[in-house]
Amino acid sequence: MKFDTIIIGGGLAGMVAGIALQKAGQKTAIISTGQNALHFFSGTFESLQEPTPRIKELIEEAGIRLHYGQGVRLMPMGTFQPSALCLEDVDIFPDAHFGRRVLIVNFMGYHDFFSSFLSEGLEKQGMECRIRFLNLPEMEQLLQSPSEMRSVQIARTMDRIWEKVVQEIRVLLKDDDTVVLPQVFGLKDPSVPGRIRQGIPAKVVFAGTLPPSVPGVRTQMQLRKRYEVLGGTYLMGDEALEAHVHNGMVHSIVTRNLDSHYLEADNFVLSTGSFFSKGLRSNPERIWEPVFGLDVEYPEDRNGWYSPSFADDQPYMGYGVKTDARLHGVADGEPLKNLYAAGSILGVTHPELGSAAGLAIRSALAVADAILCHSERSEESN
Amino acid sequence: MKLQEYTQSRANFEECMKCTVCTAYCPVLQVNPLYPGPKQAGPDGERLRLKDPYFFNYALKYCLNCKRCEVACPSGVHVADLIQTARIKYDKSNPKLRDRILASTDFMGKMVRPVAPIANVATGLGITKTVLDATLKIDHRRQFPAYSGRSFEGWLKRRAKEQAAFPEQVAYFHGCYVNYNYPQLGKDLVKVMNALGIGVQLLDKEKCCGIAMITNGMSKEATKHANHNVAVLQKAVDAGLKVVTTSSTCVFTIRDEYPGVLGVDNAAVHDAIFMATRLIYEKLEKGATLKFKADYHKKIAYHTPCHMEKLGWGVFSENLMRMIPGVEFTVLDSACCGIAGTYGFKKENYEASQAIGAPLFAQIQSVNPDIVACDCETCKWQIEMSTGYKVMNPISILAEALAD
């Protein structure tokens, strides 16, 4: 099977590159070894620069609701972090003191939302907090298997009964000016968080839960749908095993599911993520990139890979594949002319990009532009 | 450092990093609170079961074996294989008569075929359904697939000479459904293959792939079938033949379940058996052509069966149907239809089965196609019964669209 571009890795970077290329008229495929890091998405792109109109358009065309502001957002443990471009569910406050009296609402039996940590954190900021638990008959079915009481399971029930939850919260409200709820709303319908805000006569703040992230799963579904509507081929659950490379050009790749049926393309994008997604592999002796064998820079002495203190920034988290200035992947010191790297596999996180999601979007667009610019040039020379 | 290699288990279960992604994609967990979910039933439970079989949970029987947890897993853990192997290893209860009947698809086919017209009428009668429901706990709301009076094998045997005349040959693993219930699909395959200049042969006495036995606690019988089929496929491979199927579940079982769940070594034949759509696509890619009717106009919505999703081959069926001029094509959201072979026939699973399929049925109704395309026979029964839309295998659609 032949494509203009094959993207290896179906997370945020891969899907953004795929959407940009499909929009430009390319025929592309995405190969994704299972689901991706959007399932742990905080709902904020953490890009501290103002998004370009192109980024906003590309994301909003997928039906994803965004907002941009300068400030901080509430973290799941009651701390705050600088933030800028977010999903509509995530609030940005000018500073950490966003209310006076806060009602934190959780569901009976739900342990993946840390209401008491939140309360402690907010009280440190001088806010007065109380915690209440909702016990709804519609959730009895979920309570039958406590080990499965997770965000996405609750969100499926909430998709049906969120209006009832709004009523219950209105009853609980006294003189609170703010309500904090877990991010378990709007799995299918992205308008639900906004409608909940309208229904409650107080400021409503959604705080993160343990994974899977409901806004993240929703974002994944929206981006994939958009990519497929544009005609992209998303090969879910397949894995790129090796590449056929001649004279510095990637010719085709071999995948686990398609074995002897090689996938060919003019250009390839590697957006397989870092260690978690197995974009990088390691053993006690070395760190390597498994598909193309791209060069990875890391200290020879393994003791330098990590800091013995668990909570420190870990150096290995910053490791990535070597690229040239146009993001071509480099193998044995030589750039592969039609292979580009995007997203977390680049390793480096530039301060102006905030973190992984911002890097994913901006590097994916840079790679898409490089591919499109290059194919225009080769068409002209023909 | 060999330590990591030595400690890797067959189903990759140490690779599970407890990320919970699989739980978001399990269709059973969404409708049945009694099911512990793929993470708990799979790698989490395995860790406990290895310590003490006491921790085996009989609720693992609610697993559909759809493999969607494995497709979603970012760490390559064979979650569903862990669940099915645990059932084989620890569930010491004997399968019920009902489960034996449902699982013995080729035995039942052989018995019923001579009296097919009577059986078809009988299984359609309310009284039969009531009796089956009351005695065997086969849900009375199910429609039974009709049996064919003449087998596909007989039909193809009578044409063996004519088929042998083609310069290129493939062998066909037709499966129980084509042989006993719906020989037309096999005839459609022969028509399409012949149009490509390829003759179709039978294998030397295939047996049921055994998937229904695996999921109904009859692993010994399934292993016998697996060993038999691997030997039969080996003969075809030795004769230089490729083997095709028209059922995504048969080919998936032979390629993946034989080694993964039954522990049957199929390495020598694994790469020789494909979906027919993959082989046809590859032929066309290499320059072969099919001539289609000029006046064929159909709106087709494609449902990717779970096992096709796991194989990752839906793309071949999709691309083939897109090649037919005059076809308006939609791919339905990939979701389980709820039947999962014999699962949905059981009285205790009927409600869950229909609830799992509900979003798919609603989407089909909103697309309102002329035909739903699907590579799996049990999905076909489920979708036809639950939506009233006609379901056809992509091969039958190709055959129908071919110019005469």
Side-chain angles (χ1 to χ4, degrees), chain B residues 70-102:
Chain B
E70 295 187 6
V71 174
C73 177
S75 306
V77 180
H78 301 185
V79 184
D81 285 3
L82 282 170
I83 298 170
Q84 294 306 326
T85 45
R87 291 186 60 206
I88 290 171
K89 196 166 168 193
Y90 303 109
D91 185 349
K92 297 298 175 204
S93 61
N94 282 321
K96 293 181 198 155
L97 175 63
R98 182 229 17 217
D99 297 355
R100 286 189 172 277
I101 291 173
L102 288 173

PDB file of all heavy atoms in Angstrom, chain B residues 70-102:
ATOM      1  N   GLU B  70      -6.663  -5.304  23.723  1.00  0.00           N
ATOM      2  CA  GLU B  70      -5.318  -5.497  23.179  1.00  0.00           C
ATOM      3  C   GLU B  70      -5.017  -4.459  22.100  1.00  0.00           C
ATOM      4  O   GLU B  70      -3.886  -3.997  21.970  1.00  0.00           O
ATOM      5  CB  GLU B  70      -5.171  -6.908  22.613  1.00  0.00           C
ATOM      6  CG  GLU B  70      -5.271  -7.970  23.687  1.00  0.00           C
ATOM      7  CD  GLU B  70      -4.962  -9.375  23.174  1.00  0.00           C
ATOM      8  OE1 GLU B  70      -4.554  -9.526  22.005  1.00  0.00           O
ATOM      9  OE2 GLU B  70      -5.153 -10.324  23.944  1.00  0.00           O
ATOM     10  N   VAL B  71      -6.041  -4.110  21.322  1.00  0.00           N
ATOM     11  CA  VAL B  71      -5.846  -3.091  20.287  1.00  0.00           C
ATOM     12  C   VAL B  71      -5.528  -1.748  20.946  1.00  0.00           C
ATOM     13  O   VAL B  71      -4.727  -0.967  20.451  1.00  0.00           O
ATOM     14  CB  VAL B  71      -7.107  -2.983  19.391  1.00  0.00           C
ATOM     15  CG1 VAL B  71      -6.976  -1.829  18.405  1.00  0.00           C
ATOM     16  CG2 VAL B  71      -7.338  -4.287  18.636  1.00  0.00           C
ATOM     17  N   ALA B  72      -6.158  -1.484  22.101  1.00  0.00           N
ATOM     18  CA  ALA B  72      -5.972  -0.194  22.779  1.00  0.00           C
ATOM     19  C   ALA B  72      -4.689  -0.146  23.603  1.00  0.00           C
ATOM     20  O   ALA B  72      -4.158   0.928  23.864  1.00  0.00           O
ATOM     21  CB  ALA B  72      -7.162   0.100  23.691  1.00  0.00           C
ATOM     22  N   CYS B  73      -4.168  -1.288  24.042  1.00  0.00           N
ATOM     23  CA  CYS B  73      -3.037  -1.312  24.981  1.00  0.00           C
ATOM     24  C   CYS B  73      -1.792  -0.679  24.365  1.00  0.00           C
ATOM     25  O   CYS B  73      -1.325  -1.123  23.326  1.00  0.00           O
ATOM     26  CB  CYS B  73      -2.712  -2.747  25.403  1.00  0.00           C
ATOM     27  SG  CYS B  73      -1.273  -2.820  26.491  1.00  0.00           S
ATOM     28  N   PRO B  74      -1.244   0.367  24.996  1.00  0.00           N
ATOM     29  CA  PRO B  74      -0.029   0.972  24.442  1.00  0.00           C
ATOM     30  C   PRO B  74       1.234   0.181  24.770  1.00  0.00           C
ATOM     31  O   PRO B  74       2.288   0.495  24.268  1.00  0.00           O
ATOM     32  CB  PRO B  74       0.014   2.358  25.097  1.00  0.00           C
ATOM     33  CG  PRO B  74      -0.880   2.305  26.276  1.00  0.00           C
ATOM     34  CD  PRO B  74      -1.742   1.090  26.184  1.00  0.00           C
ATOM     35  N   SER B  75       1.108  -0.846  25.603  1.00  0.00           N
ATOM     36  CA  SER B  75       2.303  -1.558  26.062  1.00  0.00           C
ATOM     37  C   SER B  75       2.437  -2.966  25.491  1.00  0.00           C
ATOM     38  O   SER B  75       3.297  -3.718  25.916  1.00  0.00           O
ATOM     39  CB  SER B  75       2.299  -1.631  27.594  1.00  0.00           C
ATOM     40  OG  SER B  75       2.155  -0.345  28.134  1.00  0.00           O
ATOM     41  N   GLY B  76       1.543  -3.328  24.584  1.00  0.00           N
ATOM     42  CA  GLY B  76       1.665  -4.638  23.945  1.00  0.00           C
ATOM     43  C   GLY B  76       1.316  -5.813  24.841  1.00  0.00           C
ATOM     44  O   GLY B  76       1.772  -6.932  24.624  1.00  0.00           O
ATOM     45  N   VAL B  77       0.489  -5.581  25.870  1.00  0.00           N
ATOM     46  CA  VAL B  77       0.071  -6.686  26.724  1.00  0.00           C
ATOM     47  C   VAL B  77      -1.085  -7.425  26.047  1.00  0.00           C
ATOM     48  O   VAL B  77      -2.015  -6.804  25.550  1.00  0.00           O
ATOM     49  CB  VAL B  77      -0.394  -6.170  28.110  1.00  0.00           C
ATOM     50  CG1 VAL B  77      -0.827  -7.328  28.995  1.00  0.00           C
ATOM     51  CG2 VAL B  77       0.702  -5.361  28.765  1.00  0.00           C
ATOM     52  N   HIS B  78      -1.018  -8.758  26.026  1.00  0.00           N
ATOM     53  CA  HIS B  78      -2.095  -9.545  25.420  1.00  0.00           C
ATOM     54  C   HIS B  78      -3.163  -9.780  26.490  1.00  0.00           C
ATOM     55  O   HIS B  78      -3.288 -10.868  27.040  1.00  0.00           O
ATOM     56  CB  HIS B  78      -1.566 -10.860  24.872  1.00  0.00           C
ATOM     57  CG  HIS B  78      -0.499 -10.674  23.839  1.00  0.00           C
ATOM     58  ND1 HIS B  78       0.055 -11.709  23.142  1.00  0.00           N
ATOM     59  CD2 HIS B  78       0.114  -9.559  23.370  1.00  0.00           C
ATOM     60  CE1 HIS B  78       0.975 -11.259  22.298  1.00  0.00           C
ATOM     61  NE2 HIS B  78       1.020  -9.945  22.427  1.00  0.00           N
ATOM     62  N   VAL B  79      -3.911  -8.719  26.741  1.00  0.00           N
ATOM     63  CA  VAL B  79      -4.841  -8.716  27.869  1.00  0.00           C
ATOM     64  C   VAL B  79      -5.888  -9.829  27.731  1.00  0.00           C
ATOM     65  O   VAL B  79      -6.125 -10.599  28.667  1.00  0.00           O
ATOM     66  CB  VAL B  79      -5.546  -7.340  27.968  1.00  0.00           C
ATOM     67  CG1 VAL B  79      -6.439  -7.288  29.192  1.00  0.00           C
ATOM     68  CG2 VAL B  79      -4.537  -6.214  27.989  1.00  0.00           C
ATOM     69  N   ALA B  80      -6.501  -9.915  26.561  1.00  0.00           N
ATOM     70  CA  ALA B  80      -7.574 -10.898  26.384  1.00  0.00           C
ATOM     71  C   ALA B  80      -7.026 -12.324  26.377  1.00  0.00           C
ATOM     72  O   ALA B  80      -7.707 -13.249  26.832  1.00  0.00           O
ATOM     73  CB  ALA B  80      -8.341 -10.608  25.101  1.00  0.00           C
ATOM     74  N   ASP B  81      -5.802 -12.492  25.883  1.00  0.00           N
ATOM     75  CA  ASP B  81      -5.192 -13.831  25.943  1.00  0.00           C
ATOM     76  C   ASP B  81      -5.014 -14.255  27.402  1.00  0.00           C
ATOM     77  O   ASP B  81      -5.215 -15.422  27.749  1.00  0.00           O
ATOM     78  CB  ASP B  81      -3.818 -13.843  25.259  1.00  0.00           C
ATOM     79  CG  ASP B  81      -3.933 -13.808  23.731  1.00  0.00           C
ATOM     80  OD1 ASP B  81      -5.067 -13.717  23.227  1.00  0.00           O
ATOM     81  OD2 ASP B  81      -2.881 -13.862  23.063  1.00  0.00           O
ATOM     82  N   LEU B  82      -4.630 -13.310  28.257  1.00  0.00           N
ATOM     83  CA  LEU B  82      -4.479 -13.619  29.688  1.00  0.00           C
ATOM     84  C   LEU B  82      -5.811 -14.087  30.270  1.00  0.00           C
ATOM     85  O   LEU B  82      -5.868 -15.017  31.069  1.00  0.00           O
ATOM     86  CB  LEU B  82      -4.022 -12.376  30.457  1.00  0.00           C
ATOM     87  CG  LEU B  82      -2.547 -12.001  30.372  1.00  0.00           C
ATOM     88  CD1 LEU B  82      -2.328 -10.628  30.985  1.00  0.00           C
ATOM     89  CD2 LEU B  82      -1.705 -13.045  31.099  1.00  0.00           C
ATOM     90  N   ILE B  83      -6.885 -13.421  29.846  1.00  0.00           N
ATOM     91  CA  ILE B  83      -8.213 -13.767  30.384  1.00  0.00           C
ATOM     92  C   ILE B  83      -8.648 -15.143  29.881  1.00  0.00           C
ATOM     93  O   ILE B  83      -9.099 -15.985  30.658  1.00  0.00           O
ATOM     94  CB  ILE B  83      -9.232 -12.672  29.994  1.00  0.00           C
ATOM     95  CG1 ILE B  83      -8.818 -11.325  30.612  1.00  0.00           C
ATOM     96  CG2 ILE B  83     -10.651 -13.069  30.420  1.00  0.00           C
ATOM     97  CD1 ILE B  83      -9.603 -10.131  30.096  1.00  0.00           C
ATOM     98  N   GLN B  84      -8.481 -15.381  28.583  1.00  0.00           N
ATOM     99  CA  GLN B  84      -8.924 -16.668  28.031  1.00  0.00           C
ATOM    100  C   GLN B  84      -8.051 -17.824  28.541  1.00  0.00           C
ATOM    101  O   GLN B  84      -8.571 -18.908  28.829  1.00  0.00           O
ATOM    102  CB  GLN B  84      -8.927 -16.634  26.491  1.00  0.00           C
ATOM    103  CG  GLN B  84      -9.965 -15.676  25.894  1.00  0.00           C
ATOM    104  CD  GLN B  84     -11.390 -15.919  26.388  1.00  0.00           C
ATOM    105  OE1 GLN B  84     -11.796 -17.053  26.640  1.00  0.00           O
ATOM    106  NE2 GLN B  84     -12.157 -14.852  26.555  1.00  0.00           N
ATOM    107  N   THR B  85      -6.737 -17.599  28.659  1.00  0.00           N
ATOM    108  CA  THR B  85      -5.894 -18.691  29.164  1.00  0.00           C
ATOM    109  C   THR B  85      -6.208 -18.966  30.643  1.00  0.00           C
ATOM    110  O   THR B  85      -6.167 -20.113  31.079  1.00  0.00           O
ATOM    111  CB  THR B  85      -4.387 -18.422  28.994  1.00  0.00           C
ATOM    112  OG1 THR B  85      -4.116 -17.089  29.392  1.00  0.00           O
ATOM    113  CG2 THR B  85      -3.935 -18.586  27.567  1.00  0.00           C
ATOM    114  N   ALA B  86      -6.554 -17.915  31.392  1.00  0.00           N
ATOM    115  CA  ALA B  86      -6.923 -18.128  32.799  1.00  0.00           C
ATOM    116  C   ALA B  86      -8.195 -18.972  32.870  1.00  0.00           C
ATOM    117  O   ALA B  86      -8.315 -19.863  33.719  1.00  0.00           O
ATOM    118  CB  ALA B  86      -7.135 -16.792  33.507  1.00  0.00           C
ATOM    119  N   ARG B  87      -9.142 -18.713  31.988  1.00  0.00           N
ATOM    120  CA  ARG B  87     -10.376 -19.513  31.982  1.00  0.00           C
ATOM    121  C   ARG B  87     -10.058 -20.980  31.692  1.00  0.00           C
ATOM    122  O   ARG B  87     -10.626 -21.888  32.293  1.00  0.00           O
ATOM    123  CB  ARG B  87     -11.357 -18.974  30.937  1.00  0.00           C
ATOM    124  CG  ARG B  87     -11.937 -17.614  31.300  1.00  0.00           C
ATOM    125  CD  ARG B  87     -13.008 -17.206  30.309  1.00  0.00           C
ATOM    126  NE  ARG B  87     -14.099 -18.164  30.299  1.00  0.00           N
ATOM    127  CZ  ARG B  87     -14.897 -18.370  29.259  1.00  0.00           C
ATOM    128  NH1 ARG B  87     -14.745 -17.686  28.145  1.00  0.00           N
ATOM    129  NH2 ARG B  87     -15.877 -19.260  29.326  1.00  0.00           N
ATOM    130  N   ILE B  88      -9.152 -21.188  30.728  1.00  0.00           N
ATOM    131  CA  ILE B  88      -8.785 -22.565  30.382  1.00  0.00           C
ATOM    132  C   ILE B  88      -8.077 -23.243  31.553  1.00  0.00           C
ATOM    133  O   ILE B  88      -8.360 -24.387  31.899  1.00  0.00           O
ATOM    134  CB  ILE B  88      -7.891 -22.571  29.118  1.00  0.00           C
ATOM    135  CG1 ILE B  88      -8.728 -22.173  27.890  1.00  0.00           C
ATOM    136  CG2 ILE B  88      -7.240 -23.920  28.917  1.00  0.00           C
ATOM    137  CD1 ILE B  88      -7.924 -21.946  26.629  1.00  0.00           C
ATOM    138  N   LYS B  89      -7.187 -22.504  32.184  1.00  0.00           N
ATOM    139  CA  LYS B  89      -6.357 -23.103  33.226  1.00  0.00           C
ATOM    140  C   LYS B  89      -7.126 -23.344  34.528  1.00  0.00           C
ATOM    141  O   LYS B  89      -6.941 -24.361  35.186  1.00  0.00           O
ATOM    142  CB  LYS B  89      -5.180 -22.155  33.495  1.00  0.00           C
ATOM    143  CG  LYS B  89      -4.038 -22.790  34.252  1.00  0.00           C
ATOM    144  CD  LYS B  89      -2.804 -21.900  34.174  1.00  0.00           C
ATOM    145  CE  LYS B  89      -1.747 -22.378  35.155  1.00  0.00           C
ATOM    146  NZ  LYS B  89      -0.693 -21.373  35.318  1.00  0.00           N
ATOM    147  N   TYR B  90      -7.967 -22.397  34.910  1.00  0.00           N
ATOM    148  CA  TYR B  90      -8.536 -22.456  36.268  1.00  0.00           C
ATOM    149  C   TYR B  90     -10.004 -22.836  36.339  1.00  0.00           C
ATOM    150  O   TYR B  90     -10.483 -23.236  37.385  1.00  0.00           O
ATOM    151  CB  TYR B  90      -8.335 -21.114  36.983  1.00  0.00           C
ATOM    152  CG  TYR B  90      -6.900 -20.669  37.066  1.00  0.00           C
ATOM    153  CD1 TYR B  90      -6.435 -19.603  36.317  1.00  0.00           C
ATOM    154  CD2 TYR B  90      -6.004 -21.343  37.902  1.00  0.00           C
ATOM    155  CE1 TYR B  90      -5.108 -19.197  36.392  1.00  0.00           C
ATOM    156  CE2 TYR B  90      -4.677 -20.945  37.982  1.00  0.00           C
ATOM    157  CZ  TYR B  90      -4.233 -19.869  37.225  1.00  0.00           C
ATOM    158  OH  TYR B  90      -2.925 -19.478  37.301  1.00  0.00           O
ATOM    159  N   ASP B  91     -10.739 -22.652  35.242  1.00  0.00           N
ATOM    160  CA  ASP B  91     -12.178 -22.950  35.300  1.00  0.00           C
ATOM    161  C   ASP B  91     -12.365 -24.449  35.111  1.00  0.00           C
ATOM    162  O   ASP B  91     -12.236 -24.966  34.003  1.00  0.00           O
ATOM    163  CB  ASP B  91     -12.910 -22.166  34.206  1.00  0.00           C
ATOM    164  CG  ASP B  91     -14.423 -22.346  34.313  1.00  0.00           C
ATOM    165  OD1 ASP B  91     -14.871 -23.220  35.091  1.00  0.00           O
ATOM    166  OD2 ASP B  91     -15.156 -21.626  33.620  1.00  0.00           O
ATOM    167  N   LYS B  92     -12.625 -25.149  36.216  1.00  0.00           N
ATOM    168  CA  LYS B  92     -12.703 -26.609  36.147  1.00  0.00           C
ATOM    169  C   LYS B  92     -14.145 -27.099  35.949  1.00  0.00           C
ATOM    170  O   LYS B  92     -14.396 -28.302  35.909  1.00  0.00           O
ATOM    171  CB  LYS B  92     -12.114 -27.249  37.416  1.00  0.00           C
ATOM    172  CG  LYS B  92     -10.632 -26.957  37.599  1.00  0.00           C
ATOM    173  CD  LYS B  92      -9.785 -27.534  36.452  1.00  0.00           C
ATOM    174  CE  LYS B  92      -8.325 -27.131  36.592  1.00  0.00           C
ATOM    175  NZ  LYS B  92      -7.599 -27.148  35.301  1.00  0.00           N
ATOM    176  N   SER B  93     -15.097 -26.179  35.821  1.00  0.00           N
ATOM    177  CA  SER B  93     -16.474 -26.642  35.635  1.00  0.00           C
ATOM    178  C   SER B  93     -16.633 -27.178  34.213  1.00  0.00           C
ATOM    179  O   SER B  93     -15.970 -26.717  33.286  1.00  0.00           O
ATOM    180  CB  SER B  93     -17.444 -25.482  35.869  1.00  0.00           C
ATOM    181  OG  SER B  93     -17.192 -24.459  34.937  1.00  0.00           O
ATOM    182  N   ASN B  94     -17.487 -28.167  34.050  1.00  0.00           N
ATOM    183  CA  ASN B  94     -17.712 -28.735  32.728  1.00  0.00           C
ATOM    184  C   ASN B  94     -18.658 -27.842  31.939  1.00  0.00           C
ATOM    185  O   ASN B  94     -19.622 -27.331  32.485  1.00  0.00           O
ATOM    186  CB  ASN B  94     -18.327 -30.133  32.849  1.00  0.00           C
ATOM    187  CG  ASN B  94     -17.270 -31.153  33.209  1.00  0.00           C
ATOM    188  OD1 ASN B  94     -16.141 -31.086  32.715  1.00  0.00           O
ATOM    189  ND2 ASN B  94     -17.620 -32.066  34.096  1.00  0.00           N
ATOM    190  N   PRO B  95     -18.384 -27.654  30.644  1.00  0.00           N
ATOM    191  CA  PRO B  95     -19.300 -26.824  29.866  1.00  0.00           C
ATOM    192  C   PRO B  95     -20.709 -27.433  29.838  1.00  0.00           C
ATOM    193  O   PRO B  95     -20.867 -28.655  29.801  1.00  0.00           O
ATOM    194  CB  PRO B  95     -18.681 -26.810  28.470  1.00  0.00           C
ATOM    195  CG  PRO B  95     -17.499 -27.680  28.499  1.00  0.00           C
ATOM    196  CD  PRO B  95     -17.245 -28.141  29.887  1.00  0.00           C
ATOM    197  N   LYS B  96     -21.695 -26.540  29.899  1.00  0.00           N
ATOM    198  CA  LYS B  96     -23.080 -27.008  29.881  1.00  0.00           C
ATOM    199  C   LYS B  96     -23.418 -27.591  28.521  1.00  0.00           C
ATOM    200  O   LYS B  96     -22.769 -27.274  27.531  1.00  0.00           O
ATOM    201  CB  LYS B  96     -24.010 -25.809  30.090  1.00  0.00           C
ATOM    202  CG  LYS B  96     -23.931 -25.167  31.439  1.00  0.00           C
ATOM    203  CD  LYS B  96     -24.940 -24.017  31.464  1.00  0.00           C
ATOM    204  CE  LYS B  96     -24.620 -23.057  32.590  1.00  0.00           C
ATOM    205  NZ  LYS B  96     -25.107 -21.731  32.335  1.00  0.00           N
ATOM    206  N   LEU B  97     -24.491 -28.383  28.490  1.00  0.00           N
ATOM    207  CA  LEU B  97     -24.950 -28.962  27.226  1.00  0.00           C
ATOM    208  C   LEU B  97     -25.189 -27.850  26.200  1.00  0.00           C
ATOM    209  O   LEU B  97     -24.792 -27.938  25.040  1.00  0.00           O
ATOM    210  CB  LEU B  97     -26.244 -29.755  27.458  1.00  0.00           C
ATOM    211  CG  LEU B  97     -26.884 -30.312  26.179  1.00  0.00           C
ATOM    212  CD1 LEU B  97     -25.975 -31.319  25.490  1.00  0.00           C
ATOM    213  CD2 LEU B  97     -28.257 -30.940  26.486  1.00  0.00           C
ATOM    214  N   ARG B  98     -25.837 -26.780  26.662  1.00  0.00           N
ATOM    215  CA  ARG B  98     -26.116 -25.669  25.751  1.00  0.00           C
ATOM    216  C   ARG B  98     -24.834 -25.136  25.121  1.00  0.00           C
ATOM    217  O   ARG B  98     -24.766 -24.923  23.912  1.00  0.00           O
ATOM    218  CB  ARG B  98     -26.801 -24.538  26.533  1.00  0.00           C
ATOM    219  CG  ARG B  98     -27.175 -23.385  25.670  1.00  0.00           C
ATOM    220  CD  ARG B  98     -26.785 -21.986  26.111  1.00  0.00           C
ATOM    221  NE  ARG B  98     -25.802 -21.724  27.094  1.00  0.00           N
ATOM    222  CZ  ARG B  98     -25.893 -20.735  27.973  1.00  0.00           C
ATOM    223  NH1 ARG B  98     -26.986 -19.985  28.008  1.00  0.00           N
ATOM    224  NH2 ARG B  98     -24.921 -20.502  28.819  1.00  0.00           N
ATOM    225  N   ASP B  99     -23.806 -24.924  25.954  1.00  0.00           N
ATOM    226  CA  ASP B  99     -22.567 -24.359  25.438  1.00  0.00           C
ATOM    227  C   ASP B  99     -21.896 -25.321  24.467  1.00  0.00           C
ATOM    228  O   ASP B  99     -21.300 -24.914  23.469  1.00  0.00           O
ATOM    229  CB  ASP B  99     -21.626 -24.001  26.598  1.00  0.00           C
ATOM    230  CG  ASP B  99     -22.229 -22.910  27.493  1.00  0.00           C
ATOM    231  OD1 ASP B  99     -23.317 -22.405  27.128  1.00  0.00           O
ATOM    232  OD2 ASP B  99     -21.626 -22.585  28.531  1.00  0.00           O
ATOM    233  N   ARG B 100     -22.009 -26.633  24.773  1.00  0.00           N
ATOM    234  CA  ARG B 100     -21.435 -27.630  23.862  1.00  0.00           C
ATOM    235  C   ARG B 100     -22.124 -27.578  22.507  1.00  0.00           C
ATOM    236  O   ARG B 100     -21.494 -27.667  21.453  1.00  0.00           O
ATOM    237  CB  ARG B 100     -21.574 -29.046  24.442  1.00  0.00           C
ATOM    238  CG  ARG B 100     -20.619 -29.308  25.573  1.00  0.00           C
ATOM    239  CD  ARG B 100     -20.624 -30.775  25.970  1.00  0.00           C
ATOM    240  NE  ARG B 100     -19.563 -31.006  26.926  1.00  0.00           N
ATOM    241  CZ  ARG B 100     -18.295 -31.215  26.589  1.00  0.00           C
ATOM    242  NH1 ARG B 100     -17.947 -31.275  25.320  1.00  0.00           N
ATOM    243  NH2 ARG B 100     -17.380 -31.371  27.510  1.00  0.00           N
ATOM    244  N   ILE B 101     -23.459 -27.435  22.543  1.00  0.00           N
ATOM    245  CA  ILE B 101     -24.214 -27.382  21.288  1.00  0.00           C
ATOM    246  C   ILE B 101     -23.822 -26.136  20.490  1.00  0.00           C
ATOM    247  O   ILE B 101     -23.514 -26.206  19.305  1.00  0.00           O
ATOM    248  CB  ILE B 101     -25.737 -27.395  21.566  1.00  0.00           C
ATOM    249  CG1 ILE B 101     -26.151 -28.769  22.112  1.00  0.00           C
ATOM    250  CG2 ILE B 101     -26.529 -27.065  20.304  1.00  0.00           C
ATOM    251  CD1 ILE B 101     -27.584 -28.855  22.566  1.00  0.00           C
ATOM    252  N   LEU B 102     -23.805 -24.991  21.169  1.00  0.00           N
ATOM    253  CA  LEU B 102     -23.478 -23.742  20.477  1.00  0.00           C
ATOM    254  C   LEU B 102     -22.064 -23.774  19.913  1.00  0.00           C
ATOM    255  O   LEU B 102     -21.792 -23.223  18.847  1.00  0.00           O
ATOM    256  CB  LEU B 102     -23.626 -22.545  21.429  1.00  0.00           C
ATOM    257  CG  LEU B 102     -25.040 -22.131  21.813  1.00  0.00           C
ATOM    258  CD1 LEU B 102     -24.993 -21.044  22.879  1.00  0.00           C
ATOM    259  CD2 LEU B 102     -25.843 -21.652  20.601  1.00  0.00           C
TER     260      LEU B 102
END
